[in-house]
Amino acid sequence: MAQREQLYQTAGQVDMSRLPRHIAIIMDGNGRWAKKRGLPRTAGHKVGAETFRKVAKYCKRLGVPYLTVYAFSTENWRRPKEEVDTIMGLLERYLHEAIDSMARENIKLCFLGDLSAIPAPLRALIDKAEAISRELDSPYQANICLNYGGRDEILHAARAIAEAGESFTEENLQRHLYSAAIPDPDLLIRPGGEQRISNFLLWQAAYSEFYFCDTLWPDFDEAALDKAIIAYQSRDRRFGGVK
Ligand code: FPP
């Protein structure tokens, strides 16, 4: 109850008429969260996957149409095999559940990244979830970045332009990004105490507002998102212009 009151209070400070249209999150701190509790790093990822579910639902409740999270980078393959397998297993489990509940939840799912390296059973689930999403008439969409790297994405788009013989314009490059149909993020959040972009949405974050906090991702909750949105709403966005 106390927790609910706290959520209500912070939600009350969010200006619902000036919500970000797109929030992107680097889900950092799972390993440290687990270590602090004497648990294996993979335990942190398990709770982190639940946090993603909670935050996606809350974005919908608030009325934020797009949420994008960094689940696995092009560099994360360097982690121990057990950890990589756990993350892929969590995504598989999440997708099985999402395929059953997507129509009820009414949140579309989309995957951004080079999916050619993703194990076949997981890819089949991704295809199924994306096919269901295309049939959903919902303004809410959660994007999961998987085997994603900002540099890789820009290179991939540049190669596509060259192969199509198109001219190198911002518009053409944008059309070939994994995120082509998605507006750029207004707010980019990195919990977990680090203050870097780690190859995430390099092109799309050109004018995003950045918000860093020390909360480890498994502890991130509705009140933490409210705080990030309230901070975002205090910023003066000029997009390179003047007032
Ligand atoms: C970064 O924390 C987190 C990851 C590399 C993996 C994130 C993946 C999930 C939360 C599971 C994905 C599942 C769904 C359903 C989206 P870290 O391990 O680098 O933390 P540390 O900095 O404390 O070591």
Side-chain angles (χ1 to χ4, degrees), residues 22-27 52 67-74 76 87-88 91 109-115 118 126 130 142-150 153 178-179 182 185 198-202 204:
H22 182 178
I23 296 178
I25 306 182
I26 300 177
M27 306 186 288
F52 163 70
L67 169 70
T68 300
V69 294
Y70 206 1
F72 196 85
S73 76
T74 44
N76 284 151
I87 294 173
M88 296 300 160
L91 284 162
L109 267 185
C110 175
F111 282 78
L112 312 182
D114 175 7
L115 303 182
I118 299 302
I126 290 173
E130 289 191 329
N143 308 302
I144 299 181
C145 294
L146 184 57
N147 194 26
Y148 175 88
E153 179 182 38
Y178 298 128
S179 67
I182 303 165
S198 299
N199 205 12
F200 187 46
L201 303 179
L202 295 182
Q204 299 87 338

Side-chain angles (χ1 to χ4, degrees), residues 26-35 41-42 44-53 69-73 76 79 83 86-95 109 111 143-146 190-192 194 196 216-218:
I26 300 177
M27 306 186 288
D28 194 21
N30 295 343
R32 278 165 288 158
W33 182 92
K35 196 171 169 212
R41 294 175 53 79
T42 47
H45 297 316
K46 282 189 190 122
V47 181
E50 286 311 311
T51 304
F52 163 70
R53 196 194 300 271
V69 294
Y70 206 1
F72 196 85
S73 76
N76 284 151
R79 293 189 177 212
E83 187 170 339
T86 299
I87 294 173
M88 296 300 160
L90 282 170
L91 284 162
E92 224 176 289
R93 201 170 81 189
Y94 180 83
L95 278 169
L109 267 185
F111 282 78
N143 308 302
I144 299 181
C145 294
L146 184 57
R190 181 166 191 154
E194 311 286 359
R196 53 177 172 257
L216 302 173
W217 176 248

Side-chain angles (χ1 to χ4, degrees), residues 71-242:
F72 196 85
S73 76
T74 44
E75 289 74 35
N76 284 151
W77 297 105
R78 295 183 200 138
R79 293 189 177 212
K81 183 176 182 309
E82 192 213 339
E83 187 170 339
V84 171
D85 289 348
T86 299
I87 294 173
M88 296 300 160
L90 282 170
L91 284 162
E92 224 176 289
R93 201 170 81 189
Y94 180 83
L95 278 169
H96 272 298
E97 289 163 9
I99 284 165
D100 288 340
S101 65
M102 220 185 284
R104 192 174 61 247
E105 302 282 3
N106 208 28
I107 303 176
K108 295 185 208 168
L109 267 185
C110 175
F111 282 78
L112 312 182
D114 175 7
L115 303 182
S116 65
I118 299 302
L122 180 53
R123 271 188 75 185
L125 288 172
I126 290 173
D127 290 347
K128 194 163 175 194
E130 289 191 329
I132 298 173
S133 297
R134 280 192 289 276
E135 300 300 313
L136 280 186
D137 182 21
S138 169
Y140 299 104
Q141 179 168 321
N143 308 302
I144 299 181
C145 294
L146 184 57
N147 194 26
Y148 175 88
R151 288 181 176 180
D152 175 69
E153 179 182 38
I154 293 167
L155 270 176
H156 173 271
R159 282 194 200 106
I161 288 183
E163 276 165 24
E166 295 170 3
S167 53
F168 277 88
T169 62
E170 273 196 29
E171 288 71 24
N172 282 343
L173 199 128
Q174 155 81 28
R175 273 194 311 109
H176 289 289
L177 294 176
Y178 298 128
S179 67
I182 303 165
D184 287 344
D186 302 295
L187 169 61
L188 194 153
I189 302 172
R190 181 166 191 154
E194 311 286 359
Q195 301 195 358
R196 53 177 172 257
I197 193 161
S198 299
N199 205 12
F200 187 46
L201 303 179
L202 295 182
W203 178 279
Q204 299 87 338
Y207 286 100
S208 301
E209 294 296 329
F210 286 67
Y211 177 84
F212 301 102
C213 63
D214 290 332
T215 310
L216 302 173
W217 176 248
D219 289 329
F220 199 90
D221 60 8
E222 292 89 341
L225 191 69
D226 287 341
K227 267 181 84 176
I229 295 174
I230 292 162
Y232 161 81
Q233 290 179 334
S234 74
R235 309 271 177 90
D236 177 19
R237 299 188 82 193
R238 293 190 297 277
F239 298 94
V242 285

